[in-house]
Amino acid sequence: MSAAATSVLLAVVVAVVKGVLIIFVLMTAFAYLTLAERKVSARIQLRYGPNRVGPFGFLQPLADGVKLFTKEVTAPEGRDRFLYLLAPALAACAAMLAFSVIPINQTICIGGTHGAGPLSASCPGGYPLHWDLAHLNIGLLFILAITSLGVYSIFLGGWASNSKYPLLGALRSSAQLISYEMAVSFALLGPVLLAGSLNLETVVNQQHSLWFVFLQPMGFLLYFTGALAETNRLPFDLPEAEAELVAGYHTEYTGMHFGLFFMAEYINMVTVCSIATVMFLGGWMAPFFFLPTWLGPIWFVGKVVLLLLLMMWVRWTFPRLRYDRLMQFGWKVLLPLGLANLMLTSVFVALH
Amino acid sequence: MARRPPIRGSGTPVREIPHQEGVPHLHPGGSGEFLDRIDSGEELLEINMGPQHPSTHGVLRLVLSLDGERVVACRPDIGYLHTGFEKSFESHTYQQCIPLTDRMDYLAPPINNLGFALTVEKLLGIEIPPRGQYIRVIVAELSRIASHLVWLGTHAMDLGATTMFMYCWRERDRILDIMEWISGVRMMTSFIRVGGLLADVPAEFVPMVKAFTADFPSKVDEYEGLLTNNPIWRQRTVGLGKMDAAMALGFGCSGATLRGSGVPYDVRKANPYSSYDHFDFEVPVGVNGDVFDRYLVRVREMREACRIIDQAVAGLPGGPVNTSDRKVVLPPRAEIDNSMESLIHHFKISTEGFRPPPGACYSAVESARGELGFLLVSDGGNRPYRCKVRGPSFSNLSALSQMVKGELVADVVAVVGSIDIILGDVDR
């Protein structure tokens, strides 16, 4: 076997292993995020939360999964059969795909000499083990593209259901996601300018002395607010505002079809929090200089979990914005602020 | 043989009120404007909000005609919880009607008991001793707080603030504990009876109530801290579902829905009953008549109710709680052993109840939702000949279609929450 063939085979094997790992980890994260959400909300609301299935309710996600899988699937008459099935699948796929470019640790050089400097991603002569599935040079662009794809699933789901509440929910959602996509993109451009690269690993490496959250506090706040809207979380959960639209775009979904939407929501949470960690919170960097740096993935996961907890806290505290106010907020507050932030950053970068 | 009171007079013919040009017709469809839009061929989206919907508070069905997300017309459709209580009253003795009243406005049952009991007592021409009246006031105000807590929790939950719901439940549970302690039942207490109370309160009652009222104002501060100055909450409620005083009066609104529009009408002040005139309390009124004002009025009412309870507990007189009229209230057990008359009274009340003199009377109380009136007609028998209940929720709900016209779908939920309807009270 030629060297070229070997390296191709190796790349394929590594990619498959990484892919399976990512799916496994994300599924588990989804399962236990639902449990965490219920536990956190219970603590906030003076309740106990699930504590019957397994010790401390740890097997609750399993029970939920069994329930969702064994539920009878009822679907509305007159639905668009193909799109009705496609929508939840698309939602879950888009949510997981976005994670493929997120580096959770720095590249490890196997058998070669590490590139210049401890934080370099290059590895001449050896095999560079990237800690993301696709080591793209345009990682951020890829993420923005894929998360936009999620809108289709919501919109198609609402449209294909042939029902009024889902349609209203889907209409709201597409408008909301498109407007917040803008603000989020502008917020993410700040770190990109500072790092001078769209590759997420490079962005993290550039934060080795100072996390971008300290240089871009406004950008971080904008991103986090926009991310709440992007993941349809309170106070921006308009598409599925349950008090108004019953369950929004997934009103007519049952069983695991609904489960896929649900999964997409939680995996999206993980994704946006990971992006925030990578872009603003220094990715796998240790939070304090005296902590060991080789625990990269641990620091990464810790930061993501903190952000997730913050999202839950927000959800169980605030009332919901009204749809028109939400759009106003997106276009008249977040977007101008994002633009201003971007301009200031550009000037700053140009002067340096 | 059922005795029927003679029908006097020839009755007034129902006249057709001519439709005047320029005056909007108030009919369930909202106004004539709606029909015009249908005629013009404009396409509107009709959606059913309810009867199975998370935030129509029971089984209210709203038929909404939407232009985009804007409500063009809203037609409430009621009757999904029709129970025929008013008819049932006619086949129950007066005392047996008390449990039925519990189930009308099921969030504040003691106030319903009180309204019915006061009406029957008015028919009978009796008044109960001050201790009984004071305990009635305490129980009624406690249940007013409990009802307002349910309202606040669900109203906030409709607008997305889910946690408020559980916070409100926490305090409501303490009230239900008190109810359980005095009557054995948490919700449908039937504690207030014709001629007095189920029984005198146990010794633990006063300390329990005192502990609650000492604590409660700080809890209200907590709710207000979460909502009143929250910009999102304000955005969702200020200037929404506006109703001016004339409109509110025109629809016959009462309670906080009316007071939110600035009309200081409170039956407890306007027509004091059960010694409400002994207590010092304020009637909060709103200024703008919007959802936010109604919210403020109710929150303030909780504080005022707390003050009333404090005063009533502090000045709680001794003595009996029931009327001494042996024809109405069962004699004490010990008396039956010694007195033949008491035994006869016991037997008569237990088997037949009592017979108020023929006549009709109306009396109203301020329920958690507004003026709750009972019109009772007696033919001298042991059962009401006719009972008509003026449910405050019914009148308040009638104003809904005007209030939500031109608002967004999301606001319908807010407005429905702000008029605080109970479908058991609407349909009866």
Side-chain angles (χ1 to χ4, degrees):
Chain A
M1 200 183 279
S2 69
T6 317
S7 72
V8 167
L9 190 68
L10 183 67
V12 168
V13 169
V14 168
V16 167
V17 169
K18 280 184 193 166
V20 170
L21 260 179
I22 286 182
I23 290 176
F24 176 75
V25 167
L26 282 184
M27 295 292 238
T28 320
F30 152 65
Y32 279 91
L33 261 183
T34 60
L35 181 67
E37 173 105 57
R38 291 169 69 177
K39 282 280 187 191
V40 168
S41 72
R43 284 295 147 193
I44 292 177
Q45 300 188 340
L46 325 160
R47 297 182 284 119
Y48 291 108
N51 62 357
R52 299 287 109 181
V53 193
F56 304 106
F58 273 126
L59 298 179
Q60 184 69 36
L62 204 69
D64 289 344
V66 169
K67 188 196 86 171
L68 281 177
F69 272 110
T70 53
K71 249 190 149 146
E72 182 192 357
V73 173
T74 57
E77 288 276 314
R79 65 194 183 276
D80 186 316
R81 280 165 193 280
F82 175 66
L83 293 182
Y84 182 78
L85 286 180
L86 177 70
L90 193 64
C93 286
M96 289 205 227
L97 261 180
F99 207 83
S100 60
V101 291
I102 290 176
I104 58 171
N105 199 0
Q106 62 179 328
T107 299
I108 291 175
C109 201
I110 298 171
T113 47
H114 209 287
L119 298 165
S120 167
S122 66
C123 181
Y127 178 74
L129 180 63
H130 301 302
W131 283 64
D132 45 5
L133 174 57
H135 197 70
L136 288 183
N137 282 330
I138 50 161
L140 188 67
L141 212 56
F142 178 79
I143 283 179
L144 290 179
I146 290 296
T147 48
S148 312
L149 209 59
V151 187
Y152 281 98
S153 68
I154 289 176
F155 190 68
L156 290 178
W159 173 254
S161 296
N162 188 32
S163 180
K164 287 168 183 172
Y165 281 112
L167 183 64
L168 277 177
L171 277 173
R172 282 179 169 193
S173 171
S174 36
Q176 173 185 332
L177 294 196
I178 290 168
S179 4
Y180 277 77
E181 191 78 34
M182 304 278 287
V184 163
S185 312
F186 279 124
L188 287 179
L189 279 180
V192 168
L193 280 178
L194 291 177
S197 170
L198 283 168
N199 182 297
L200 296 182
E201 186 164 356
T202 318
V203 174
V204 178
N205 279 335
Q206 293 291 332
Q207 301 179 52
H208 63 90
S209 52
L210 189 60
W211 294 357
F212 285 160
V213 67
F214 299 114
L215 293 172
Q216 291 277 318
M218 179 64 102
F220 179 69
L221 280 179
L222 287 174
Y223 176 74
F224 196 73
T225 318
L228 285 175
E230 285 253 309
T231 47
N232 295 332
R233 303 272 302 174
L234 256 165
F236 306 106
D237 67 337
L238 273 285
E240 46 182 297
E242 59 178 8
E244 299 148 24
L245 299 179
V246 188
Y249 59 90
H250 57 60
T251 306
E252 302 286 0
Y253 281 89
T254 52
M256 205 52 212
H257 294 168
F258 160 74
L260 284 175
F261 275 126
F262 200 53
M263 188 161 97
E265 183 185 328
Y266 279 90
I267 293 182
N268 271 329
M269 275 169 69
V270 178
T271 311
V272 295
C273 289
S274 307
I275 298 171
T277 307
V278 166
M279 303 300 285
F280 294 99
L281 298 181
W284 58 81
M285 309 274 176
F288 299 104
F289 66 90
F290 53 83
L291 292 171
T293 50
W294 52 270
L295 280 175
I298 302 285
W299 305 134
F300 181 87
V301 170
K303 290 169 192 174
V304 171
V305 166
L306 274 183
L307 286 178
L308 285 172
L309 284 176
L310 185 61
M311 279 180 118
M312 290 176 190
W313 185 17
V314 168
R315 171 170 180 183
W316 297 104
T317 306
F318 284 115
R320 178 184 301 119
L321 278 172
R322 201 174 68 185
Y323 175 61
D324 57 333
R325 299 284 163 83
L326 175 91
M327 297 299 279
Q328 278 176 18
F329 185 66
W331 287 102
K332 294 185 179 166
V333 179
L334 283 190
L335 194 62
L337 281 178
L339 270 173
N341 185 47
L342 185 64
M343 267 163 60
L344 280 177
T345 315
S346 318
V347 172
F348 174 80
V349 171
L351 289 181
H352 261 263
Chain B
M1 259 307 267
R3 289 172 304 271
R4 300 275 180 251
I7 298 168
R8 295 192 197 86
S10 57
T12 320
V14 180
R15 268 171 302 159
E16 193 76 75
I17 300 165
H19 177 60
Q20 294 167 8
E21 210 56 50
V23 176
H25 234 353
L26 298 180
H27 67 79
S31 76
E33 199 184 311
F34 167 58
L35 297 177
D36 296 345
R37 292 191 71 170
I38 293 284
D39 293 343
S40 70
E42 197 173 338
E43 280 192 48
L44 298 173
L45 178 69
E46 290 249 320
I47 63 169
N48 266 318
M49 205 177 218
Q52 288 89 28
H53 187 279
S55 40
T56 50
H57 294 256
V59 283
L60 172 65
R61 173 174 172 233
L62 298 171
V63 184
L64 300 175
S65 300
L66 301 182
D67 182 5
E69 287 228 9
R70 219 156 265 288
V71 178
V72 177
C74 162
R75 279 160 293 161
D77 182 12
I78 60 171
Y80 289 90
L81 202 59
H82 188 68
T83 34
F85 283 140
E86 289 176 7
K87 192 69 190 165
S88 299
F89 282 168
E90 294 169 20
S91 55
H92 289 77
T93 65
Y94 287 94
Q95 205 69 282
Q96 284 171 345
C97 290
I98 291 282
L100 293 177
T101 60
D102 271 333
R103 283 145 181 89
M104 289 192 309
D105 175 356
Y106 41 78
L107 291 184
I111 303 185
N112 294 5
N113 299 162
L114 181 59
F116 184 76
L118 282 173
T119 315
V120 180
E121 283 159 16
K122 201 169 166 186
L123 265 179
L124 289 164
I126 57 173
E127 193 164 292
I128 71 162
R131 182 175 173 83
Q133 295 195 5
Y134 270 55
I135 294 175
R136 280 180 172 190
V137 166
I138 298 171
V139 171
E141 292 306 313
L142 279 176
S143 67
R144 185 186 313 280
I145 293 178
S147 168
H148 279 1
L149 283 173
V150 175
W151 157 78
L152 181 60
T154 51
H155 187 36
M157 192 161 68
D158 288 346
L159 298 185
T162 24
T163 301
M164 274 303 292
F165 185 69
M166 301 307 296
Y167 283 15
C168 291
W169 237 240
R170 176 184 59 191
E171 269 69 62
R172 178 174 180 264
D173 241 38
R174 294 183 64 184
I175 295 177
L176 295 189
D177 285 344
I178 297 176
M179 296 293 176
E180 189 180 7
W181 200 250
I182 60 175
S183 69
V185 187
R186 290 174 75 79
M187 282 182 72
M188 309 301 174
T189 54
S190 301
F191 181 65
I192 297 174
R193 304 279 172 90
V194 178
L197 305 169
L198 162 69
D200 201 346
V201 288
E204 294 88 341
F205 174 71
V206 168
M208 273 173 105
V209 173
K210 273 186 178 162
F212 176 77
T213 55
D215 232 19
F216 188 63
S218 69
K219 304 291 183 189
V220 180
D221 292 341
E222 195 175 275
Y223 309 146
E224 286 216 74
L226 273 170
L227 295 179
T228 305
N229 286 322
N230 184 329
I232 302 180
W233 181 258
R234 289 206 168 215
Q235 274 188 2
R236 289 302 307 271
T237 53
V238 174
L240 187 71
K242 275 197 164 185
M243 177 161 69
D244 57 18
M247 181 178 154
L249 287 170
F251 276 109
C253 295
S254 53
T257 311
L258 176 66
R259 292 192 286 273
S261 300
V263 183
Y265 175 72
D266 187 320
V267 184
R268 291 174 293 175
K269 281 274 190 209
N271 198 0
Y273 56 90
S274 197
S275 60
Y276 264 110
D277 45 346
H278 295 187
F279 307 117
D280 167 41
F281 64 98
E282 280 164 32
V283 177
V285 290
V287 180
N288 298 322
D290 54 7
V291 174
F292 186 62
D293 277 15
R294 293 195 275 277
Y295 156 78
L296 287 181
V297 166
R298 285 205 183 85
V299 169
R300 183 70 192 283
E301 267 182 34
M302 290 201 270
R303 295 184 192 273
E304 293 299 323
C306 207
R307 275 182 63 202
I308 297 176
I309 296 170
D310 273 339
Q311 294 170 43
V313 170
L316 190 63
V321 293
N322 287 344
T323 172
S324 55
D325 189 341
R326 291 283 180 261
K327 297 243 183 276
V328 178
V329 174
L330 292 174
R333 182 66 188 77
E335 220 172 88
I336 299 173
D337 295 341
N338 305 321
S339 154
M340 186 63 202
E341 252 188 359
S342 290
L343 186 62
I344 294 172
H345 282 142
H346 189 273
F347 179 74
K348 289 289 268 183
I349 293 175
S350 305
T351 52
E352 289 179 12
F354 45 83
R355 296 166 188 272
C361 83
Y362 175 85
S363 87
V365 295
E366 182 73 22
S367 92
R369 289 168 182 82
E371 177 173 340
L372 172 69
F374 286 84
L375 173 71
L376 268 178
V377 181
S378 160
D379 57 356
N382 59 351
R383 288 153 200 199
Y385 171 72
R386 171 83 174 95
C387 177
K388 166 78 181 85
V389 183
R390 187 226 179 259
S393 297
F394 180 79
S395 311
N396 292 350
L397 179 62
S398 65
L400 177 71
S401 41
Q402 290 291 311
M403 278 195 268
V404 300
K405 233 156 72 97
E407 309 283 8
L408 298 169
V409 185
D411 298 336
V412 174
V413 169
V415 177
V416 171
S418 79
I419 57 175
D420 189 21
I421 48 165
I422 286 297
L423 267 293
D425 196 27
V426 173
D427 292 342
R428 294 187 302 280

